[in-house]
Amino acid sequence: MNPQLEGIEDIEGTYVFDVRQSVKSLRLNRFFWRHREPEFRALLARDFKAACDELKLSDEERTLVSNQDWLGLIRYGVSFFVLEKFARVVKMSNLAVYASMRGETLEAFLKTRRVPESA
């Protein structure tokens, strides 16, 4: 492990994205990256299992996706930048995703923002 990351697991809300996590979550990151392709989005809408099979997602990965477990996906090692593509496909804003990660409704989350009406 990178010595600069020693003790980071003790910082609440911090999730390391390093080479180990990147390799572990490669299939899932590719799955979400493919959401930019209209053909893949059509396959996903038509047959979720086939889309998962194409990327060889594990049962755990399929569950994270089907449950839209945003925080679980981050903890697993998914890059937020590819999660944004998935959020668009399921018609969720970034703010709604952030709220979900905190276990809050969008309305409750917005009350914690400096400019809550910005959404």
Side-chain angles (χ1 to χ4, degrees):
M1 185 168 175
N2 182 338
Q4 294 174 330
L5 298 177
E6 284 182 26
I8 199 159
E9 64 278 354
D10 298 329
I11 302 172
E12 186 178 344
T14 302
Y15 310 103
V16 175
F17 184 76
D18 58 6
V19 172
R20 185 175 45 90
Q21 283 297 101
S22 178
V23 169
K24 172 188 171 192
S25 59
L26 184 60
R27 287 184 314 272
L28 202 46
N29 278 304
R30 285 184 176 159
F31 174 83
F32 289 121
W33 179 247
R34 298 271 320 267
H35 281 67
R36 74 193 196 295
E37 302 169 12
E39 303 83 23
F40 187 76
R41 289 194 308 272
L43 171 63
L44 188 63
R46 188 175 61 252
D47 190 345
F48 176 77
K49 183 182 181 312
C52 291
D53 288 347
E54 186 171 316
L55 277 290
K56 298 180 174 73
L57 297 187
S58 70
D59 289 340
E60 178 184 12
E61 292 166 339
R62 292 168 196 244
T63 299
L64 287 167
V65 174
S66 62
N67 290 345
Q68 294 179 18
D69 182 353
W70 302 101
L71 187 54
L73 289 161
I74 291 292
R75 287 178 174 150
Y76 190 82
V78 173
S79 165
F80 185 77
F81 299 106
V82 296
L83 278 184
E84 288 180 310
K85 293 168 185 2
F86 180 53
R88 295 302 168 269
V89 169
V90 297
K91 300 187 179 3
M92 283 185 72
S93 69
N94 285 0
L95 292 174
V97 171
Y98 303 151
S100 175
M101 286 180 177
R102 287 176 42 168
E104 298 175 347
T105 65
L106 177 58
E107 294 73 27
F109 177 78
L110 289 175
K111 289 178 184 174
T112 68
R113 307 293 87 196
R114 287 187 173 193
V115 187
E117 62 278 356
S118 66

